[in-house]
Amino acid sequence: MSSYVIEGGYSLKGTIEPQGAKNEALQIVAATLLTSEKVTINNVPDILDVNNLIELLRNMGVKVTKESKGVFTFQADNIDIDYLKSDQYRQKSMALRGSVLTLGPLISRFGFAIFPKPGGDKIGRRRVDTHLIGVQALGAECQYNPSIKSYEIKSDKLKGAYILLDEASVTGTANVLMAAVLAEGETTIYNAACEPYLQQLCKLLIEMGAKIDGVGSNLLKIQGVKELHGAEHRLLPDMIEVGSFIGMAAMTKSEITIKNVSIPNLGIIPASFQRLGITIEQRNDDLFIPKHDGYEIETFIDGSIMTIADAPWPGLTPDLLSVFLVVATKAKGSVLIHQKMFESRLFFVDKLIDMGAQIILCDPHRATVIGLDKRYNLRAAEMISPDIRAGIALLIAAMSAKGTSIIHNIEQIDRGYENIHERLNALGARISRLS
């Protein structure tokens, strides 16, 4: 288990560019299983979750070539179906949340998939019902095998269907979509997720020969085709990393420029940070964050306390609520953070309370933050990162605190952020990594 040692109290200055989007990368890498031809992906982030999924595909028999930094080609022309039945495959799949995205391509193209209960963040229950019900609606048979703690999914031929998803799950939509593109006939997916990364998946599939209407909406119509061909795709910049840098800059009194952020695909993120009193200047496709000596949380028009809550796109992504929460601890004013999706994601606030933050954990989904403004500084602490997003929030807190903090289990941060300490040190941070 590795650790970060953070000397807090230093401001950052300079330019930083976000990595390729983690959540998009997992979908796009899985989609390469849908064709026997080469698929080239650009701007792939060098992070643990993506690397582990690429390794899983290699073990399946996919030919993976790293052409240059961030550029990979995939060719799934000789998949080892027997490997999917092995203990090694199940163990690797169970350790990786992104493995869930192989279900749609495998059942669609090969008529067989093993679906272990996936791992990943310890942030609460993450249902897989949407994935399984979706492929069952297309004609797949699904049975749970308790001896291997996995679902076995089989199908002779998927057929199009009308599917009303019980939740606008991003990975659930992606799986059903990838299963439907090779199914016979027309498939309708209603209450589909429509975030930019799902739109990107649709664009790649269309480039590969799929027929999809309604991209960007919650109503997708797919006309099944017999086969897909190769294509080339570039990942969007990671909106979660962009949001992390915005919050980090404000909390550490830094002046930074975030380059090439794809502003149209950030949605409500910049406006939500502005509600915390953070100044953001748009310069072409860059965001400039000036130095903040302080920032004040807005109230609603009637004077009531501001609430920041997650919601399906184009609402605020739940992956940034941990960052909003920690940034609010240094603001003037109060805010209610409402994490609707996961009931364990806010439990990291006890570590912030130990650092001197004033936070009331109302219940597993809601926390009220009373900003310290300039009255107090957070104090250094020794902490353990419970998940990716809490990990980056704790890193931001440690960078703004007085003294030297230690964060253990930073492999969780590695899962979503590429060489983050080196990139921040280049801007003036003081972060050391200990193995």
Side-chain angles (χ1 to χ4, degrees):
M1 184 170 69
S2 300
S3 305
Y4 278 148
V5 178
I6 306 103
E7 190 177 347
Y10 290 91
S11 295
L12 312 182
K13 189 175 180 65
T15 298
I16 194 165
E17 186 163 353
Q19 66 191 25
K22 166 186 176 284
N23 292 340
E24 180 187 351
L26 296 174
Q27 296 177 38
I28 297 298
V29 168
T32 65
L33 290 167
L34 285 165
T35 178
S36 62
E37 298 183 16
K38 286 186 179 180
V39 178
T40 301
I41 307 176
N42 299 276
N43 201 29
V44 179
D46 184 10
I47 55 177
L48 204 56
D49 272 11
V50 173
N51 293 340
N52 285 343
L53 183 59
I54 291 173
E55 185 62 24
L56 185 67
L57 264 62
R58 275 197 180 103
N59 293 341
M60 290 182 191
V62 178
K63 299 180 182 71
V64 182
T65 304
K66 184 175 182 180
E67 305 291 347
S68 59
K69 178 175 169 54
V71 181
F72 289 79
T73 59
F74 299 81
Q75 187 167 12
D77 60 347
N78 189 24
I79 297 298
D80 182 2
I81 297 299
D82 289 335
Y83 174 71
L84 303 179
K85 304 173 184 178
S86 68
D87 289 336
Q88 183 188 28
Y89 170 76
R90 287 192 295 272
Q91 292 300 320
K92 285 183 176 293
S93 295
M94 290 172 69
L96 173 64
R97 181 69 193 172
S99 66
V100 68
L101 287 159
T102 63
L103 168 62
L106 289 174
I107 191 64
S108 181
R109 184 170 166 218
F110 302 102
F112 179 78
I114 295 284
F115 186 67
K117 185 178 179 181
D121 293 321
K122 306 302 181 185
I123 56 177
R125 293 173 297 169
R126 306 183 83 166
R127 296 191 300 115
V128 296
D129 305 52
T130 303
H131 306 255
L132 298 175
I133 293 172
V135 295
Q136 283 178 311
L138 295 172
E141 296 180 2
C142 177
Q143 289 186 331
Y144 183 71
N145 187 335
S147 65
I148 58 174
K149 298 180 180 178
S150 302
Y151 293 92
E152 295 181 349
I153 302 98
K154 299 178 182 178
S155 173
D156 292 331
K157 180 61 181 176
L158 298 181
K159 293 188 177 182
Y162 177 89
I163 302 171
L164 176 59
L165 299 183
D166 63 335
E167 61 172 346
S169 163
V170 176
T171 52
T173 302
N175 253 334
V176 177
L177 172 65
M178 288 188 284
V181 291
L182 293 178
E184 185 180 291
E186 182 179 272
T187 298
T188 298
I189 307 175
Y190 200 16
N191 195 29
C194 54
E195 68 164 20
Y197 304 146
L198 204 289
Q199 296 177 40
Q200 286 285 97
L201 174 62
C202 289
K203 291 174 183 176
L204 170 64
L205 294 175
I206 292 170
E207 186 71 19
M208 294 168 69
K211 297 180 180 179
I212 306 170
D213 291 323
V215 177
S217 75
N218 69 347
L219 180 62
L220 297 175
K221 289 186 180 293
I222 304 102
Q223 294 289 340
V225 296
K226 291 185 177 180
E227 61 181 10
L228 298 178
H229 51 73
E232 186 168 354
H233 180 82
R234 182 176 180 83
L235 302 178
L236 289 174
D238 195 311
M239 69 169 77
I240 313 303
E241 200 173 61
V242 172
S244 301
F245 292 150
I246 293 172
M248 183 183 295
M251 199 168 180
T252 59
K253 300 181 179 180
S254 300
E255 179 181 292
I256 68 171
T257 298
I258 312 171
K259 297 284 292 182
N260 302 320
V261 299
S262 187
I263 287 171
N265 290 298
L266 294 179
I268 202 173
I269 291 172
S272 298
F273 277 108
Q274 288 168 335
R275 283 185 152 191
L276 294 185
I278 297 172
T279 300
I280 303 172
E281 298 178 16
Q282 178 179 335
R283 298 178 175 179
N284 297 319
D285 200 35
D286 306 338
L287 296 180
F288 174 70
I289 317 300
K291 180 180 177 179
H292 287 72
D293 289 324
Y295 45 97
E296 184 173 354
I297 300 170
E298 295 178 3
T299 60
F300 285 118
I301 293 174
D302 63 359
S304 57
I305 186 172
M306 175 63 61
T307 298
I308 292 181
D310 57 335
W313 183 270
L316 185 63
T317 170
D319 283 348
L320 271 175
L321 284 192
S322 299
V323 172
F324 276 96
L325 190 150
V326 74
V327 173
T329 64
K330 290 283 288 179
K332 180 180 180 180
S334 301
V335 64
L336 176 66
I337 303 293
H338 190 175
Q339 163 61 261
K340 300 174 185 175
M341 189 172 295
F342 303 113
E343 68 269 20
S344 302
R345 201 165 218 171
L346 296 182
F347 286 168
F348 80 101
V349 302
D350 61 339
K351 300 169 179 63
L352 298 176
I353 293 170
D354 289 342
M355 298 178 77
Q358 294 187 345
I359 305 171
I360 302 168
L361 187 60
C362 309
D363 55 45
H365 292 276
R366 297 177 301 161
T368 300
V369 184
I370 298 94
L372 298 173
D373 192 22
K374 300 176 183 178
R375 293 171 294 162
Y376 306 101
N377 283 310
L378 294 179
R379 50 182 177 263
E382 186 168 352
M383 303 165 279
I384 298 176
S385 173
D387 65 76
I388 303 174
R389 308 310 175 186
I392 200 68
L394 294 176
L395 179 61
I396 294 171
M399 291 171 64
S400 72
K402 283 194 172 182
T404 301
S405 298
I406 300 175
I407 303 177
H408 301 294
N409 193 30
I410 59 170
E411 287 80 6
Q412 288 285 356
I413 301 175
D414 293 341
R415 290 177 49 218
Y417 293 84
E418 179 179 335
N419 299 323
I420 189 67
H421 68 293
E422 295 177 1
R423 295 159 69 202
L424 295 178
N425 285 345
L427 300 181
R430 304 286 181 91
I431 306 169
S432 302
R433 183 180 181 115
L434 302 179
S435 297

